[in-house]
Each structure stands twice: as structure tokens, then as C-alpha cells.
Amino acid sequence: MKRGFSFSLPVTAVVSAIAFIYFCTVFIFIDRWFGLMTSHGILNAVVFTGVAVMCVFNYSFAIFADPGRVPSSFMPDIEDSKVSIQEIKRKGGDLRYCQKCSHFKPPRAHHCRVCKKCVLRMDHHCIWISNCVGHSNYKVFFVFIVYAVIACIYSLVLLVGSITNDSQKDEQQSADSFRITYVISGLLLVPLSVALSVLLGWHIYLILQNKSTIEYHEGVRAMWLAEKGGNVYEHPYDLGAYENLTTVLGPSIFCWICPASRHIGNGLRFRTVYDAISAASIST
């Protein structure tokens, strides 16, 4: 399901940055280093364009895709034997109910105050896509970060190569004409590369643990309370590193960096470690 979109300054800034970096990389860095009409220049331009296209495609999908809306007709079935876990409120122990949306919340769903709706497996609300990151668009958001990191580092390498090539040719007058572009690009690419790499590392960690950002912070509190009571807290959706990867990115490793997401299910029920324990006990 696609959603409506209104003007967003952060999104405009991201689109402008992508356009600026692409133009500078292809028509300045590659051209100054290799020349666009050479075989090396054409190869680098084609590869970088491919990365940029995938980056823009996944970014657009993350913006316009509905992150996962909780059906208004959803009702938790506490008698269903297939549902091994029902999330309850911290206080009172009742099933989780959203007063603002007037319906029950399935496991891992949370209400977003910005979007004013409950989002399935909500990770966080991202101002840079003017949308929530949730069950239906988490993978494309992650894949966008992967391509963005590749594009930034690739462009940064080409920038350094272009500057080095200019200095070796000793074309002072020609190099001076691109100096402002080099400076602006460096000031943009260096912090972007660092910030996006940190963000990528964070979400790789979350995927390996099968946690959302919200669940990570809730887990810190739950771990503290468990240790206080002499117990050990275990994240119920942690199925092991490989199973966690396939749950989020898909069963085929060749599709992990593709925007396909047919494997994700409806977002109302997720496999838990208790399912694996039950299956093991039945098999024995």
C-alpha cells in the first residue's frame, strides 16, 4: 500500500545531496581522473550510476511505502495454540490496546505520534524519509543505507583520486577552478560516510539480534529488571544470527540487497524462540 506524501525539508535536503554527489562524481571526479570517454571512465560511471539508481529506488520506496498499518479488525486470540507469546502492558498485565487508534496492538507494534497510527514492528520514525520505518519498509530502508554507504565511500575514493591526479599533472589553473567543488564535496562526503557507516553497523547489529530500535531500548530495561529479580532476560524473537538475517532480508542470500520483500508475512505474528523449543520437543 502506498501512502500520500507532502513536502519535507529533510527529504528535499537528501535528494539535493544525492543529486549533487552524483553530478560531481560522474562529471568531475571520474572525468578529471580517467576521462569519461575512456574505458575506465565509462566503467566507473556505469558502476556508480548503478549504485546511485539502487540508492534512489530504495529511498523512494522507503518514503512512499506504508510501513505497515495495524488492521482495524485485529483481535488477539489468546486461545490460539500457535501463538506462543502475547505482549502485555507493563502495568496491569492487560493485552496492549491503543487508546488513540481504538484497537488492540499485535506483538512488536507501536503507536507513532508523528504518523498518528500504530505501525507493525515499528523501528523508529525517520525524519529523513518523512515516514516510519516498520514491518513493510524496514528491508528497503536497510538496503538504502547499504547502497548509500557504498556510494559515499566510492565517491570519496574518486574524489581523492581526482585531486591526486590534478596535483600530479600540476595544472594549477584548472585545479583551482574545481577547488570549491572539491571542498564542498569533501565536507559533505566525509561526515556522511562516517554517519551512514555507523548507522549501517547499528542496524546490522539489530538484524543479527532480530530487534527493532524500540525493542533494543525496551530490552535494556527488561534486562535490568530481570537481573534485579535474579533472572536472565532473553529476547523472544532472537532465533540465531542466520535465522534472524533470513527473517529480515529473505531466505535467499542473492536477494539480500534487492528490494524484494515478499517473505516478510503480514506482520501480525512473528516466530519466537519458544516456537523453536516447541518444535524441538515435538520432534524428540
Side-chain angles (χ1 to χ4, degrees), residues 122-127 131-134 138 141 199 203 213-214:
M122 180 178 173
D123 187 88
H124 69 287
H125 183 89
C126 180
I127 63 170
N131 194 10
C132 273
V133 178
Y138 180 81
F141 174 78
L199 183 62
H203 280 283
T213 299
I214 293 175

Side-chain angles (χ1 to χ4, degrees), residues 211 214-226 233:
K211 293 179 180 179
I214 293 175
E215 288 170 346
Y216 169 81
H217 292 293
E218 289 180 341
V220 171
R221 174 180 169 80
M223 187 180 299
W224 177 77
L225 291 174
Y233 171 76

Side-chain angles (χ1 to χ4, degrees), residues 11-164:
V11 171
T12 304
V14 171
V15 173
S16 300
I18 292 174
F20 177 79
I21 291 172
Y22 177 80
F23 178 85
C24 291
T25 302
V26 174
F27 297 103
I28 297 179
F29 307 157
I30 295 177
D31 187 39
R32 298 288 299 169
W33 190 0
F34 303 106
L36 275 178
M37 294 298 104
T38 64
S39 57
H40 288 87
I42 293 173
L43 178 62
N44 278 279
V46 169
V47 172
F48 187 80
T49 299
V51 173
V53 167
M54 289 301 295
C55 187
V56 171
F57 180 80
N58 284 279
Y59 182 65
S60 300
F61 194 95
I63 292 174
F64 292 106
D66 192 308
R69 191 184 302 269
V70 178
S72 57
S73 59
F74 171 76
M75 285 290 293
D77 189 353
I78 59 176
E79 297 181 355
D80 188 355
S81 59
K82 295 182 180 180
V83 180
S84 55
I85 183 172
Q86 292 282 1
E87 293 183 357
I88 59 176
K89 294 180 179 179
R90 293 177 184 174
K91 297 180 181 179
D94 299 326
L95 291 174
R96 297 165 68 238
Y97 185 84
C98 181
Q99 299 290 344
K100 296 179 180 179
C101 296
S102 300
H103 59 59
F104 286 99
K105 290 188 287 188
R108 313 184 82 177
H110 296 273
H111 185 85
C112 176
R113 290 174 293 180
V114 180
C115 295
K116 297 180 180 179
K117 64 181 179 182
C118 287
V119 177
L120 297 171
R121 195 192 178 277
M122 180 178 173
D123 187 88
H124 69 287
H125 183 89
C126 180
I127 63 170
W128 301 107
I129 64 172
S130 189
N131 194 10
C132 273
V133 178
H135 177 67
S136 297
N137 67 346
Y138 180 81
K139 181 186 174 181
V140 293
F141 174 78
F142 174 77
V143 174
F144 159 67
I145 298 174
V146 172
Y147 282 111
V149 169
I150 294 172
C152 286
I153 295 176
Y154 193 0
S155 180
L156 195 56
V157 170
L158 292 171
L159 167 61
V160 173
S162 178
I163 294 174
T164 304

